[in-house]
Amino acid sequence: MLSFLLLTAAAEARAFEMSGGVRMGYSYMPNSTLRSPNSMTLGFEQIHRLDSGGSVNFLVLTNFSLSGMNQGSLFPTGHVIMGYQLYDSWYVGAGPFLRIYEVEPTLDAQINMILGSGVLLPMEGFDIPIQFGYVPDLDDKWIFTMSTGIHYTF
């Protein structure tokens, strides 16, 4: 479906923009194996934006992060959010979320969904993103995230 949208956009000469950069933030993970539910997160994110020519744009946001550094642990996480952006600023979307808790002796991972919302504050030559995310879970291992960083347009 994404390739269809991109091909259609190319046929209609719509603007396709990609930006990315480093993110740093905070995760709250109750009922986790960490000593504290508060965790520092550091990662890299890319936003692929398809300009509709109007006030609403389609976007795909990808993120890879490492959580738990403030407690001497590393939990790799990754997610993809598909959604919409209003007036080149505020965006909202949802998508798959993957978190790896342990690799050895057996792989322990969680796949779920993430609901994300944020805003891109335009600066001279770059954007400052502020994002919030929520990962619901039936086993009460939900996660709340917030992050900020810097985005450069490629």
Side-chain angles (χ1 to χ4, degrees):
M1 183 172 143
L2 181 60
S3 60
F4 172 75
L5 287 173
L6 294 177
L7 290 174
T8 305
E12 296 177 11
R14 299 278 185 214
F16 178 76
E17 185 179 287
M18 184 173 77
S19 64
V22 176
R23 287 288 184 102
M24 187 168 62
Y26 166 81
S27 295
Y28 183 77
M29 302 174 290
N31 304 319
S32 70
T33 58
L34 296 173
R35 291 180 292 182
S36 168
N38 304 299
S39 175
M40 178 188 166
T41 303
L42 181 66
F44 183 79
E45 182 170 277
Q46 282 189 332
I47 294 179
H48 305 269
R49 194 174 10 212
L50 183 62
D51 189 0
S52 68
S55 59
V56 178
N57 299 326
F58 178 75
L59 66 85
V60 176
L61 183 146
T62 59
N63 180 294
F64 174 76
S65 297
L66 296 171
S67 297
M69 289 179 274
N70 61 323
Q71 299 184 40
S73 299
L74 290 179
F75 293 119
T77 64
H79 64 263
V80 176
I81 294 177
M82 295 178 70
Y84 300 97
Q85 182 181 35
L86 301 173
Y87 300 106
D88 294 329
S89 179
W90 180 76
Y91 59 90
V92 63
F97 176 87
L98 175 68
R99 176 182 206 101
I100 299 174
Y101 291 103
E102 194 173 290
V103 178
E104 291 185 6
T106 60
L107 181 65
D108 184 15
Q110 172 191 14
I111 188 158
N112 215 321
M113 69 172 285
I114 185 168
L115 304 170
S117 181
V119 64
L120 290 173
L121 304 173
M123 299 293 156
E124 192 68 34
F126 64 94
D127 294 328
I128 295 177
I130 300 172
Q131 180 177 310
F132 298 93
Y134 174 68
V135 180
D137 188 69
L138 295 174
D139 297 325
D140 204 28
K141 292 184 178 178
W142 58 272
I143 301 168
F144 171 77
T145 67
M146 67 181 184
S147 65
T148 188
I150 188 166
H151 271 205
Y152 291 99
T153 301
F154 298 109

